[in-house]
Amino acid sequence: MKPQWQILVVDDEEIMCESLAAWLREDGYLVDTASSGREAVELAKKTDYAIYFIDLKMPGGMDGIDTLMEIRRLHPDASIIIITAYATVDTAITAIKEGAQEYIVKPCNPEEISLLVGRIIKVKRLQRENLILRKKLQRRYQFHDIICKSPRMLEVLELAREVSSLRSTVLIRGESGTGKELVARAIHFSGNRAQKPFIAVSCAALAETLLESELFGYEKGAFTGAAERKKGKFELADGGTIFLDEIGDIGPKLQADLLRVLQERSFYRVGGSEEVHVDARVIAATHKDLRALVEEGKFREDLFYRLNVIEIQIPPLRERREDIPLLAGHFVERISHELGKPVEEIAQDAMRLLMDHSWPGNVRELENAVERAIVSCRGRTLTAEDFSFLRNNGAAKIQMPDNLTLADMEKLMIEAALRRTGGNVKEAAASLGIDRSTLYEKLKRYGIER
Amino acid sequence: MVVGVFELRTPEDRAVPQGVIPAMAAALEQCLPVRVAGLKPLEIPQGAYDARRAQWSAPAVLESVLASLPEGIPKALAVTGVDLFIPMLSFVYGQAQLKGRAGVVSVARLRQEFYGLPGNEALLLERARKEAVHEAGHLLGLVHCSSPGCVMRLSVQVGQIDLKGEAPCPSCAARLREVSA
Ligand SMILES: [Zn+2]
Ligand SMILES: [Zn+2]
């Protein structure tokens, strides 16, 4: 569905307002009318119209030019089209000087007006998309920032490319720091929605009620402080993709709301009664084991299956160590440039350290480590010394209290493995070298909660 | 959905040519999920005439159509031979309330004679069918569509009417199913 642009028609003659509004509505625009300059300014305070049609000759305190100037002040980016009769073309010149974009002499040819409106909307659409594009480029990460040569990661990218132009929901699983959002972006920007918005929301960052209004928007007066209608992330993502990170963290109410959006592609703003339709592709991500949450009754099964149409599992960095030199080299290049330090390479002993580290924080941890090393580095080469902070919390040093039994040790190791994998039993079992059912048994025996 | 179709009677020389209304009714039933009810003709309201422009006001016509809708007819399309305008525009081929009750189609500018060309009945009927489906499409809630062959494409020149088809494109048809469901 094309985005709905809003237009305001201002004319003291009701029939003029209503007939032009009806004509524009047939074109799919949302059109409001105002019968005086005052009314127009009041409406303009509440709504961000893309185009204003203003009749120059209006009786009362505020004539067309005053109205134009006031609206210009409120919305410098709005397009204003002045409507005049033949007799008042001179004033139209004044109007153009005051910032009207165009003027039309009534009655005008239907072709003229549809071309004019079409042209303005086209420019606005481009501006909006450029804005989105600029914002995207400002972000640090881009598609090509996914750097890898490990077969498992290349498989992930291949799958991302394959599904990029589908509308199906994607569930991305992976530990924190593995780059779930990067993969979501790769899917969006390599698919047929690339020209449309990519909107990312972290579901863990906000309280449930805040998240609800963040996602679905709210109507004026929906709650204390809701002074104006606000669009939610779903509406902003119309035509594009919405990325819901940490989806495993949402409560039952939002789970139900999300299910509804996925099923019906529509929702209500908070405090609203009007159904809003959106065409947004949903990509969700989590570091949790959603299947396990479903089994525990903490996550709706129907929502899980709606989200899990396509599942992409990003391997943790420790399972694709061949990517470490590549990634580290890339981070050195980028961060040294950003920090303005002439660091060029990583010494062999330093690289060995990087290869041996377990990277519980994955790619993000590696990036932070490189940045920290560059900051302290004094030469052109990063040495093991520059990465000394990694040794301190490495796996090699385990403090052994004297009174520890073998069972205590096992319990500690299991807990550590679960922490590392974000509660993912399958991965925890793999990293401990036992199978899943054995791990479940031990969890029960030691009374360990996930 | 029932759509009433009737002629807005006008002075003799602006009458709707024979065969136009049956052709429109057939097209409506073929192309849209509607049944057509033929309604009695009405006199065009004299108040809708603008002597200065020598044209008839589409909003005024729509108002009188609304006022005279018989019970049990949820939507109606009036057909007239006179040239229509809205105050802002020099002319319109027709106008309909979006997802509303009343619409009007003028055949004045669908006739080759309007452009000083020899008459062509087949062409007139073809254009009339398309414009009727287009305005009725608006009544059912469709907005303009950009796909080239779609009947819901906006036409501001008669040539553009000739270029498009008389049926909604697949995406408009899908929308119709959505709104009628
Ligand atoms: Zn139309
Ligand atoms: Zn269409």
Side-chain angles (χ1 to χ4, degrees):
Chain A
M1 221 182 128
K2 54 180 177 183
Q4 287 225 301
W5 296 91
Q6 303 204 40
I7 298 178
L8 182 66
V9 179
V10 191
D11 198 315
D12 58 307
E13 270 182 275
E14 193 194 332
I15 193 160
M16 177 72 82
C17 269
E18 283 310 323
S19 60
L20 179 57
W23 204 79
L24 293 166
R25 281 181 195 126
E26 288 181 356
D27 234 358
Y29 301 113
L30 286 173
V31 192
D32 288 336
T33 59
S35 59
S36 71
R38 290 229 174 284
E39 197 188 338
V41 170
E42 283 313 305
L43 285 170
K45 282 180 185 162
K46 290 180 225 151
T47 308
D48 193 6
Y49 297 100
I51 303 179
Y52 293 81
F53 282 91
I54 303 175
D55 194 311
L56 262 191
K57 268 200 339 196
M58 281 188 297
M62 224 178 169
D63 69 4
I65 297 273
D66 294 337
T67 312
L68 156 71
M69 287 165 70
E70 187 60 22
I71 286 173
R72 195 108 227 103
R73 206 180 53 76
L74 286 169
H75 300 287
D77 295 334
S79 295
I80 300 177
I81 301 172
I82 286 293
I83 307 170
T84 97
Y86 282 109
T88 54
V89 168
D90 270 356
T91 12
I93 309 294
T94 321
I96 294 281
K97 281 196 190 129
E98 291 301 338
Q101 187 163 356
E102 302 273 354
Y103 75 89
I104 46 178
V105 178
K106 69 184 168 188
C108 75
N109 195 298
E111 183 167 24
E112 200 182 319
I113 200 163
S114 69
L115 285 178
L116 177 60
V117 173
R119 201 174 67 222
I120 292 176
I121 292 297
K122 193 172 167 195
V123 169
K124 292 206 179 287
R125 183 172 300 134
L126 282 175
Q127 283 171 345
R128 185 189 271 187
E129 280 162 4
N130 276 340
L131 191 73
I132 291 165
L133 193 70
R134 260 207 313 281
K135 280 191 181 157
K136 184 193 104 199
L137 288 177
Q138 281 165 0
R139 294 211 184 100
R140 224 150 119 202
Y141 290 112
Q142 283 156 40
F143 180 18
H144 54 259
D145 249 18
I146 300 183
I147 289 173
C148 60
K149 63 173 186 182
S150 68
R152 278 181 68 191
M153 205 51 204
L154 290 172
E155 230 170 74
V156 164
L157 290 190
E158 185 55 37
L159 181 56
R161 232 188 312 275
E162 267 171 34
V163 303
S164 62
S165 283
L166 306 178
R167 201 196 173 282
S168 314
T169 308
V170 179
L171 180 63
I172 303 177
R173 296 186 44 212
E175 292 175 18
S176 313
T178 46
K180 297 186 284 290
E181 181 168 347
L182 285 189
V183 172
R185 282 177 193 279
I187 294 173
H188 174 81
F189 287 110
S190 56
N192 53 10
R193 292 171 176 255
Q195 303 306 313
K196 296 291 166 58
F198 174 92
I199 305 282
V201 187
S202 170
C203 299
L206 292 171
E208 177 109 348
T209 47
L210 278 179
L211 184 57
E212 185 183 2
S213 52
E214 183 80 2
L215 287 177
F216 302 116
Y218 51 79
E219 294 291 343
K220 182 182 172 182
F223 44 82
T224 324
E228 254 150 55
R229 165 192 282 189
K230 186 168 175 280
K231 282 190 180 172
K233 300 287 191 194
F234 265 100
E235 259 177 292
L236 295 176
D238 194 22
T241 303
I242 185 164
F243 174 62
L244 303 173
D245 201 2
E246 307 298 2
I247 193 79
D249 290 12
I250 62 171
K253 163 81 167 65
L254 266 181
Q255 289 182 21
D257 289 345
L258 260 184
L259 182 66
R260 193 189 129 84
V261 181
L262 289 173
Q263 279 170 340
E264 330 223 327
R265 299 182 191 179
S266 68
F267 58 87
Y268 296 91
R269 296 188 193 96
V270 175
S273 54
E274 173 201 350
E275 208 173 15
V276 184
H277 291 269
V278 285
D279 164 32
R281 182 188 198 173
V282 175
I283 300 181
T286 179
H287 69 278
K288 292 191 174 167
D289 184 352
L290 277 194
R291 235 175 277 260
L293 290 180
V294 168
E295 278 164 30
E296 290 164 25
K298 289 180 182 156
F299 201 86
R300 291 179 71 121
E301 189 174 19
D302 43 8
L303 177 58
F304 172 71
Y305 284 111
R306 279 274 171 185
L307 289 172
N308 198 38
V309 178
I310 298 162
E311 185 180 328
I312 295 181
Q313 172 85 45
I314 308 182
L317 190 54
R318 63 182 172 280
E319 288 174 22
R320 51 178 183 112
R321 292 189 185 271
E322 61 265 55
D323 286 342
I324 292 174
L326 217 59
L327 283 163
H330 169 74
F331 291 141
V332 167
E333 197 177 301
R334 206 196 63 215
I335 296 169
S336 62
H337 179 78
E338 278 172 14
L339 297 178
K341 285 192 81 168
V343 175
E344 282 160 9
E345 56 181 358
I346 303 174
Q348 270 195 0
D349 59 339
M351 190 59 88
R352 241 187 331 267
L353 204 61
L354 299 184
M355 290 297 278
D356 289 344
H357 188 66
S358 62
W359 301 113
N362 291 293
V363 182
R364 195 179 301 137
E365 187 190 0
L366 174 60
E367 187 187 6
N368 292 339
V370 170
E371 179 165 357
R372 195 168 156 187
I374 290 179
V375 168
S376 66
C377 175
R378 290 173 189 263
R380 293 180 177 268
T381 304
L382 294 178
T383 62
E385 190 62 22
D386 295 320
F387 286 104
S388 59
F389 54 89
L390 286 179
R391 283 208 193 105
N392 300 334
N393 46 16
K397 274 192 185 165
I398 300 173
Q399 294 282 324
M400 290 274 205
D402 296 339
N403 53 354
L404 212 60
T405 66
L406 203 52
D408 289 340
M409 192 68 201
E410 192 171 56
K411 186 179 176 206
L412 284 177
M413 283 185 69
I414 291 170
E415 283 171 341
L418 284 171
R419 260 199 309 279
R420 253 196 336 269
T421 59
N424 186 322
V425 171
K426 191 174 151 202
E427 282 175 23
S431 80
L432 291 166
I434 55 178
D435 62 32
R436 206 159 27 149
S437 56
T438 312
L439 180 54
Y440 273 118
E441 219 172 83
K442 290 182 190 294
L443 289 178
K444 212 190 266 170
R445 186 184 325 146
Y446 295 125
I448 298 175
E449 301 229 345
R450 275 173 293 147
Chain B
M1 174 67 69
V2 175
V3 175
V5 175
F6 63 96
E7 179 179 355
L8 269 182
R9 280 259 171 80
T10 48
E12 264 323 288
D13 60 326
R14 304 274 168 78
V16 176
Q18 282 262 316
V20 163
I21 291 185
M24 285 175 159
L28 289 176
E29 292 195 335
Q30 254 171 48
C31 303
L32 297 173
V34 298
R35 274 189 307 117
V36 170
L39 304 180
K40 273 193 293 202
L42 279 180
E43 289 292 326
I44 193 162
Q46 277 309 310
Y49 187 65
D50 184 318
R52 210 163 35 91
R53 298 178 62 152
Q55 283 174 307
W56 300 70
S57 156
V61 165
L62 281 185
E63 223 164 88
S64 76
V65 170
L66 271 178
S68 62
L69 268 189
E71 245 176 73
I73 299 292
K75 294 176 192 290
L77 197 60
V79 186
T80 176
V82 300
D83 195 19
L84 297 174
F85 75 95
I86 64 174
M88 186 64 217
L89 299 179
S90 50
F91 73 90
V92 286
Y93 295 124
Q95 187 157 38
Q97 300 173 307
L98 191 61
K99 223 174 172 181
R101 301 192 64 200
V104 60
V105 179
S106 158
V107 296
R109 289 175 191 252
L110 305 184
R111 309 172 63 170
Q112 289 292 76
E113 295 90 327
F114 186 90
Y115 308 94
L117 298 168
N120 182 337
E121 203 201 336
L123 190 56
L124 168 65
L125 292 185
E126 195 188 308
R127 291 171 178 169
R129 289 166 66 98
K130 292 174 186 174
E131 282 311 282
V133 174
H134 181 98
E135 295 306 335
H138 284 319
L139 284 180
L140 297 179
L142 290 184
V143 298
H144 290 151
C145 170
S146 56
S147 51
C150 180
V151 73
M152 290 317 293
R153 197 177 169 105
L154 169 66
S155 321
V156 287
Q157 292 170 2
V158 77
Q160 294 169 330
I161 302 179
D162 295 340
L163 279 178
K164 67 185 181 183
E166 62 178 34
C169 71
S171 92
C172 286
R175 253 203 91 57
L176 269 181
R177 278 192 298 274
E178 235 171 71
V179 285
S180 57

